[in-house]
Amino acid sequence: MPDPPVRWIRRDRPSFPSGAGAPLWRLVDPVDGLDPVVLDQVEASLSAAGLLDAWVTPDGVWAPDRDGDELVIVPGTVPAGTGNLAQVLQPAEDAGSLSAAVLRILAGIGYTTDGPLTAPTCLAADGRWQTPAAAGRAGTATHGAELIGTAARAAARRRKIAELRAQATGFRAEFGQLAGEADQVSEQITSLRAAADQAPTDADVVAAAAAHTAAAGEADKASNTYRDARGREQEARRVSDAATGEVTRYAAENLLTTGEEQLDNLAGALDAAATASGGLRLALSAQKAAMSAVMAAAGRVAIEDSRVHEAASTAEDEAQAAQTADVNATLAEKSVDADAQQLFAQAERLERQVEEYGPSISASKREGLARSAAAGEANSTWQQRCNDLTAALERRDIAAAAWWVPVDAGLAAARNLTVPDSRDLDAALAHARTAADQLRPQMWPERLDEKARRAEAALSRMLGSSLVDLRTVLETSGGRSVITTEADEQHPLPSVTLIVDASGAQLDPADAIRHLQILVEDLSRTHDEKLHQMYTELLSSTFIDHLADRMKKVIKLLEVVNDVLRKHPTGANKTTLRLRRVPAEGQEPGFKILKALQEGSIESESAQQQIQLFLGARLREAQDAGLVGTEDWTDRLAELLDYRAWFDIVAQYKVGDGDDETRWKDLTRKVHGVDSGGGKVVTLLQPLLATLVALYSESEDAPRPLWLDEAFEGVDPSNRATMMRMLTDFDLDFLLAGPAPLVAVAQVPTAALWIITRAPAPADGVDLSLMLWAGKTLEQVPVGDYATRILTPRRPTDDAGPDLFTTIPETGGPAGPNHTGNDVGVPASIVAVDTGGPA
């Protein structure tokens, strides 16, 4: 069906079939054997000219009161000898009474295959068209003709169904994707909430920030101090290296030794030489004084020998030097005469060398000792660094091996991280960096102990209430549970395994999810197949037929009721009521199905699909109710499929004559509340009486009783007369109870009035009197004393004694014309107490 116009508002068209008309495309079919290409071009041309969806009326004219806001096609004329549209189109088989109008329209539209357009309104097989106000050429639609002809409409419906199914499939896929994303977002929200719970307070953050600032300042100071110390160290090393080079150069140039051991030997030799020089000086002095010098030298030697023995434990070199000096002194003493001059010269030379090299040698020795200490300290530091490096390498290998434990456990795959093929150190580092970049939680600490604490807290939460809730849900299903295993040497990580079906197989969470997804897919497929089978059975069974039959009766009943109400307006302003069906709250889909049944379009594919969707929603609603028993579930489904709950009956009213639909207004509580008391009673009672008459009309021979107590209380005479006329017109057998003779009005032709009179106090009982209303007069009718006759006991013939009823005749006769039943004698009292008699 084409979409309604956009640039102007069109009325709501009557449903097809309707005697009021139909759109042109619905009333025509292609002639037998017409080329589909020609049909495609004809439909395109009619649409371009604005004629395809134009409304066809039985009389071929547009009537404002009847057609309203509508585009009506008016039959035209074509010149003699000109072809018309009847060459390619003909009235549809179901056009009914509109066939004649369709023929006039087709005959008034010119048609040619390839010639000129000669008629005022004309089409051509090549897409050309013209009207008195416009002309042009239309290309065929993508799928060709979609409206003219049953086959074209069926093909269009199939394409539309295919498009809708493809769209539904896309929506389902998109829903699945969005559901997955929603689950991920929910997990992220849960993680964020957990992280928020673990987040420090503002005071902790401020304190940590202050501590961090202070620590950063101290670190900067220490860094500057370290940098200055390193500079001084490097400058000292530079000076030391320069001094060492200068000493080495000087030693090389003067053939001096530079090794520590050689320096020690040289120092010892110099010391010995110095000692020998002293002895020589003494010997030279002794030369002047002959034997005194020798004796002085001998005493000197003795003194030196004593000192050497005293320092033997700590200065072995000095003792050896003393002995050497003693020997030299002895030799000098023996050869003092022959070599005195040579020894004195050599002593002076040695003495000068001692004076020259003494300070340099002492400084070099001190530098050597300092370098030895620094070398020892550096060696110790290097050894510590080697030990630290070895420990770090061991920790690195242990950490790399530990990294693959959660990866092998499937945690990386569960977090959508690609698992590398290689297991070397570089692969572990790269994979760990990737995990840190993608999975690092917010506010993740830097210290290992804080990381361990956070991990323990998260594990405790997972193994706490969440695990208990999961176990409760699984175990209530029977045969299902969750099992946790603590970490040990063989299993470095705690593990969680699930039993999710009756097989008892223990699966890790990832495998359990995949297994459940497979089960859900299988169950969904089986469920869909069963639902489709059930839909087919429902649609092909008597369900639709029964529903259609009941709806026909409902619609017929409403039509009868509304016809009765239409014939009986009330009040001086002739207010007319009618009943309408409207969708009940939340029952729009069911109401649409009832409307499709009413319009006769239930066999269309769109209606069938709509019924399937509706039934599916009702089944899911019954399933969602959580009913276990089959009977409970069936009863609930029966309630949901009760068509009477799909619509409500509302009352509408209009004032005065006329068939304009816009004059009908809803009879709301507000509108009803402002009416008079009598008007309210009439408004409420009139639809009830009309419905009662409609139900009684189903059986012509059935009685038509209506009993009302306190009838028309508070109703004004005008409305009361209206209601009495309705009761009479409806031919109801009514019984009215009230304080006044309600039926004694001109609208009632005949009626019987029974007047009930209570006995005077303190007597109990009532009396009845009958009056007849004959349209204009009210006459009293004598009533026999039936109570006396019925209450008189039967006496045996042989019993002639008196009894309680001796004053009452055996046979009660009718009372006289003036009998009112108000006698206070014993008979009246006796009649009154018999409450079970037919009187």
Side-chain angles (χ1 to χ4, degrees):
M1 181 178 295
D3 295 330
V6 177
R7 299 299 179 185
W8 61 286
I9 298 176
R10 190 179 66 192
R11 64 166 181 167
D12 293 334
R13 288 178 166 179
S15 302
F16 184 84
S18 172
L24 177 62
W25 61 266
R26 187 60 183 82
L27 298 174
V28 295
D29 282 337
V31 298
D32 296 339
L34 182 65
D35 188 354
V37 176
V38 175
L39 178 61
D40 298 343
Q41 199 67 63
V42 169
E43 180 173 308
S45 301
L46 286 173
S47 178
L51 303 177
L52 183 63
D53 196 33
W55 190 256
V56 177
T57 59
D59 53 4
V61 297
W62 172 72
D65 295 337
R66 179 192 64 191
D67 302 322
D69 298 331
E70 184 59 88
L71 172 64
V72 176
I73 185 170
V74 179
T77 59
V78 298
T82 302
N84 56 49
L85 202 55
Q87 298 176 225
V88 293
L89 299 180
Q90 60 184 356
E93 294 181 357
D94 54 355
S97 60
L98 298 173
S99 297
V102 173
L103 288 174
R104 290 194 301 270
I105 291 172
L106 296 178
I109 299 176
Y111 177 78
T112 179
T113 56
D114 53 1
L117 304 178
T118 57
T121 301
C122 189
L123 307 178
D126 57 0
R128 290 176 294 131
W129 60 272
Q130 74 175 13
T131 64
R137 186 174 65 185
T140 58
T142 304
H143 299 291
E146 295 184 344
L147 297 177
I148 298 179
T150 304
R153 291 194 292 272
R157 284 195 298 270
R158 288 193 295 271
R159 284 193 299 271
K160 186 63 175 179
I161 291 172
E163 292 174 358
L164 293 175
R165 287 176 176 169
Q167 188 178 8
T169 303
F171 286 158
R172 293 190 186 98
E174 183 179 359
F175 170 76
Q177 180 180 357
L178 293 176
E181 294 177 357
D183 294 339
Q184 293 179 359
V185 171
S186 298
E187 293 177 359
Q188 293 177 359
I189 291 174
T190 303
S191 301
L192 292 175
R193 287 177 177 171
D197 294 337
Q198 296 297 325
T201 62
D202 293 343
D204 295 336
V205 172
V206 172
H212 173 73
T213 303
E218 293 296 331
D220 293 339
K221 293 180 181 178
S223 177
N224 295 333
T225 303
Y226 172 76
R227 185 166 56 253
D228 295 341
R230 287 287 295 175
R232 291 194 298 272
E233 177 189 5
Q234 292 175 358
E235 180 63 22
R237 288 183 181 275
R238 186 185 62 78
V239 173
S240 174
D241 293 341
T244 301
E246 185 65 24
V247 170
T248 302
R249 184 188 61 78
Y250 183 83
E253 290 177 354
N254 295 277
L255 301 177
L256 297 177
T257 59
T258 58
E260 293 185 1
E261 183 177 358
Q262 293 175 348
L263 289 174
D264 291 339
N265 294 334
L266 179 60
L270 290 173
D271 291 340
T275 304
S277 297
L280 289 174
R281 288 190 186 91
L282 292 174
L284 292 173
S285 298
Q287 183 181 10
K288 296 178 180 180
M291 291 303 296
S292 58
V294 173
M295 291 301 294
R300 179 69 178 171
V301 169
I303 293 172
E304 292 294 332
D305 185 63
S306 176
R307 292 177 61 187
V308 168
H309 285 291
E310 291 177 357
S313 58
T314 58
E316 184 177 358
D317 293 339
E318 291 183 4
Q320 183 67 33
Q323 291 178 1
T324 303
D326 186 44
V327 173
N328 291 333
T330 303
L331 292 175
E333 186 179 348
K334 292 179 181 181
S335 59
V336 67
D337 295 332
D339 299 326
Q341 296 299 326
Q342 184 179 357
L343 289 174
F344 288 150
Q346 184 177 2
E348 291 178 358
R349 187 175 62 253
L350 291 174
E351 188 175 13
R352 286 193 304 269
Q353 290 180 353
V354 169
E355 292 177 356
E356 182 180 357
Y357 294 136
S360 178
I361 291 172
S362 298
S364 297
K365 189 172 183 178
R366 287 193 301 272
E367 180 68 18
L369 293 175
R371 290 295 180 88
S372 297
E377 183 178 356
N379 185 47
S380 176
T381 303
W382 176 79
Q383 187 65 37
Q384 182 64 32
R385 294 294 184 269
C386 290
N387 294 336
D388 293 343
L389 177 61
T390 302
L393 292 176
E394 292 177 354
R395 291 195 301 272
R396 183 192 65 182
D397 295 338
I398 294 173
W403 173 255
W404 298 117
V405 172
V407 174
D408 294 337
L411 296 183
R415 289 295 184 175
N416 298 323
L417 292 178
T418 303
V419 179
D421 298 332
S422 176
R423 292 301 175 95
D424 55 11
L425 179 62
D426 294 338
L429 290 175
H431 199 244
R433 292 191 184 98
T434 302
D437 293 339
Q438 298 183 7
L439 305 179
R440 185 182 184 89
Q442 293 184 356
M443 305 297 294
W444 186 248
E446 297 295 337
R447 295 175 52 184
L448 292 177
D449 56 345
E450 294 181 357
K451 293 180 180 179
R453 181 177 61 81
R454 290 279 297 274
E456 289 293 336
L459 181 60
S460 299
R461 288 195 302 272
M462 291 301 299
L463 298 180
S465 59
S466 299
L467 181 64
V468 174
D469 295 341
L470 177 60
R471 181 178 286 114
T472 301
V473 172
L474 292 175
E475 291 181 352
T476 52
S477 301
R480 295 161 177 81
S481 183
V482 56
I483 302 171
T484 58
T485 304
E486 297 293 337
D488 52 23
E489 295 181 356
Q490 295 181 353
H491 303 87
L493 292 176
S495 63
V496 177
T497 55
L498 299 169
I499 301 175
V500 295
D501 57 13
S503 64
Q506 298 184 11
L507 305 173
D508 58 39
D511 293 338
I513 291 174
R514 287 191 291 270
H515 181 68
L516 289 176
Q517 287 177 344
I518 294 174
L519 291 179
V520 169
E521 292 175 357
D522 294 340
L523 291 175
S524 298
R525 183 173 58 258
T526 304
H527 180 263
D528 293 341
E529 293 176 355
K530 291 293 185 181
L531 280 182
H532 182 71
Q533 180 181 358
M534 185 180 63
Y535 295 156
T536 304
E537 292 177 356
L538 282 175
L539 295 176
S540 61
S541 65
T542 58
F543 172 73
I544 297 299
D545 295 337
H546 173 73
L547 189 60
D549 180 66
R550 299 308 303 171
M551 279 308 303
K552 289 180 181 178
K553 292 183 178 181
V554 170
I555 294 171
K556 182 179 180 181
L557 176 61
L558 286 179
E559 290 176 350
V560 173
V561 171
N562 288 333
D563 185 63
V564 173
L565 294 174
R566 179 180 57 80
K567 295 178 180 178
H568 295 84
T570 62
N573 56 2
K574 294 184 178 181
T575 300
T576 305
L577 299 178
R578 73 175 181 182
L579 302 181
R580 298 295 299 273
R581 289 184 304 115
V582 296
E585 183 177 0
Q587 300 292 340
E588 286 80 4
F591 188 79
K592 290 181 179 179
I593 293 177
L594 298 180
K595 188 175 182 180
L597 284 171
Q598 179 182 354
E599 296 174 352
S601 59
I602 195 66
E603 299 297 333
S604 65
E605 295 185 9
S606 59
Q608 295 288 316
Q609 187 176 10
Q610 185 178 10
I611 292 176
Q612 289 189 7
L613 294 175
F614 171 75
L615 293 177
R618 285 296 186 265
L619 288 174
R620 285 190 295 272
E621 186 175 349
Q623 293 171 346
D624 294 341
L627 302 176
V628 178
T630 303
E631 295 182 358
D632 295 338
W633 188 85
T634 305
D635 293 341
R636 177 57 178 164
L637 182 60
E639 293 177 3
L640 295 174
L641 293 179
D642 188 353
Y643 74 97
R644 294 171 295 182
W646 301 349
F647 63 88
D648 290 332
I649 301 296
V650 298
Q652 294 182 332
Y653 74 97
K654 72 172 183 176
V655 178
D657 298 329
D659 296 331
D660 189 0
E661 283 290 325
T662 59
R663 299 176 61 185
W664 289 98
K665 308 294 183 182
D666 290 337
L667 183 60
T668 61
R669 291 181 180 270
K670 182 178 180 181
V671 174
H672 184 259
V674 299
D675 202 352
S676 62
K680 293 179 182 178
V681 174
V682 173
T683 303
L684 292 178
L685 188 59
Q686 190 180 23
L688 174 63
L689 295 179
T691 305
L692 191 63
V693 170
L695 294 175
Y696 283 158
S697 299
E698 294 182 358
S699 177
E700 297 179 357
D701 300 331
R704 304 161 72 89
L706 173 65
W707 298 348
L708 297 177
D709 186 20
E710 299 295 336
F712 311 138
E713 182 68 21
V715 180
D716 59 275
S718 176
N719 284 321
R720 186 186 306 169
T722 300
M723 298 306 300
M724 298 307 300
R725 182 184 298 108
M726 287 182 59
L727 296 178
T728 305
D729 292 345
F730 293 162
D731 193 20
L732 293 174
D733 303 325
F734 53 89
L735 175 63
L736 308 179
L742 302 175
V743 295
V745 292
Q747 288 76 20
V748 180
T750 57
L753 282 77
W754 288 91
I755 301 174
I756 303 176
T757 306
R758 183 183 298 277
D764 295 330
V766 296
D767 184 47
L768 300 178
S769 61
L770 176 63
M771 302 189 75
L772 179 63
W773 170 255
K776 295 183 178 180
T777 59
L778 186 64
E779 298 179 359
Q780 187 173 5
V781 178
V783 179
D785 194 358
Y786 298 105
T788 300
R789 182 179 60 189
I790 294 173
L791 294 176
T792 300
R794 298 180 181 274
R795 290 188 299 165
T797 55
D798 55 351
D799 185 4
D803 60 12
L804 181 63
F805 296 97
T806 54
T807 59
I808 300 177
E810 285 188 0
T811 309
N818 297 324
H819 176 70
T820 62
N822 292 329
D823 298 330
V824 295
V826 174
S829 300
I830 294 174
V831 173
V833 295
D834 185 8
T835 59

